[in-house]
Amino acid sequence: MLSQHTELPSFPPFDSWKGISQYFPVQNDSVWLNYCGTTPVSTYAIEMMNLYFQEYARFGIFAPSFAEPTIKSAIRGSIAEILNCDPSEIGIVHNTSEGINLYSHSIQIPKGKRILVLENEYPSNVYPWEHWKEKGVGLDFIPVGKTPDEFLTNLKTELDKGDVFILSLSPVHWCTGVVFDMEAVSILCETHSTKLVIDGSQAVGHIPLDFRKLKVAFCAFAAWKWLLGPLGLGVVYLSKEESKGFKLIFKGQASVVNDSSYFPYRDEWKPAADQFEQSTINFNDWIYFYASLRMLSTLGFSRVRERIYEVAGMFKDALHDLGFTLESDTFPQIKTGILAITGHKDSSKFQPEAIQAFLKQRKITTAVRLGRLRLAPHIAIEEEHVARVKEALNDYLKQN
């Protein structure tokens, strides 16, 4: 007989954010500012995984505190809370590319229709649609424009042509941090009978998304960005409406009901979102993700978002003090956690690759995207980290 469940580690609620960086070892002697790229592991996730490994070593797949249905239910419940949707609409995959590919290859699009994606979109939301070009379906790009309102104008111009079957959009641009008005986008799509698909990797956990208000057919996103999950784990959302008659292009061992009973072979498929889990999953990643979501839930998902904006605001003020200009200067009323530095009052001093290399020597991790220096903080960043980055940038400006 198995032992009683082990008490799972708790995470402090942090009424103030002081000291939370101690749970992120990467911040001990460095400053990680690429949370919209990849996110280093927290000590809380390590503690949870260690507990799981100890139980797995004793009990194998019967680890009493980590039953697969329980962990899956918890993950789906947390994601459903973030997206304001039903847990049955959530499935677990490996990454965004896999999720969008599976969806793209499983649907039907009439010949002569078009798919729209964003200009300079991340490849995960472009490549999975390219196969449609060989089938008489167009794949076109919408200009971003200089402001979110200009983007809406560009989108309406394309939708008014009357042949757009799918708009597959990232609500937050991965290079610039611009945030689009998804309620307005959803209304435009519904008005023009266009399916709305979302690449949520830069949005979920970063900006509010309400799928009971937005008419979204499908969404896929990575776990390892704003949700602080593990590399190699992703999530899909398939709306109840889109689930009607949906059947995945692939059939795997776990595609059918009662999949743990291997004989006789079965023809009855699982509900649509469950079909995306083809067979045996990497349960280690599920535990990691479960821990990260449990941590964020304890802190409060909306409160975490507001803290991201707060820290981004600190960086914005510091960068302006040093004479830098930002992409977000053109949409100051919109909250974003991605800061894209576009220039400096002395144009000769703005060399993104050189600044990135200088900061790397100071153990400050940033990214260069589309000629911009990109900073993306999260809750692990505290005031002293902002000051450290400002000091390093000031030193760079003095030396160049």
Side-chain angles (χ1 to χ4, degrees), residues 36-175:
C36 72
T38 60
T39 51
V41 66
S42 67
T43 56
Y44 182 69
I46 293 172
E47 185 180 5
M48 188 75 75
M49 293 185 74
N50 280 341
L51 178 59
Y52 165 66
F53 286 138
Q54 290 168 16
E55 286 198 3
Y56 190 78
R58 294 183 61 198
F59 306 110
I61 63 170
F62 303 109
S65 302
F66 299 94
E68 180 182 325
T70 302
I71 299 300
K72 180 176 180 178
S73 177
I75 292 174
R76 293 173 96 174
S78 291
I79 299 300
E81 180 182 347
I82 294 170
L83 298 179
N84 192 21
C85 66
D86 193 277
S88 66
E89 297 172 301
I90 301 299
I92 305 175
V93 292
H94 294 102
N95 48 62
T96 307
S97 288
E98 179 181 88
I100 297 180
N101 259 303
L102 288 171
Y103 174 77
S104 175
H105 284 271
S106 300
I107 61 174
Q108 299 297 318
I109 302 178
K111 189 175 181 179
K113 294 292 187 178
R114 289 192 298 151
I115 301 166
L116 286 182
V117 296
L118 195 61
E119 176 187 44
N120 296 318
E121 177 62 282
Y122 193 76
S124 291
N125 196 22
V126 178
Y127 296 158
W129 303 111
E130 288 184 338
H131 70 100
W132 282 108
K133 293 190 291 185
E134 302 171 358
K135 303 166 185 174
V137 175
L139 177 61
D140 293 330
F141 296 85
I142 318 165
V144 176
K146 295 181 180 180
T147 66
D149 287 340
E150 188 176 335
F151 166 76
L152 287 175
T153 300
N154 295 338
L155 174 60
K156 186 177 185 302
T157 298
E158 291 298 323
L159 293 178
D160 282 345
K161 295 176 182 178
D163 60 351
V164 179
F165 191 82
I166 284 178
L167 168 66
S168 190
L169 180 67
S170 293
V172 182
H173 198 289
W174 67 291
C175 297

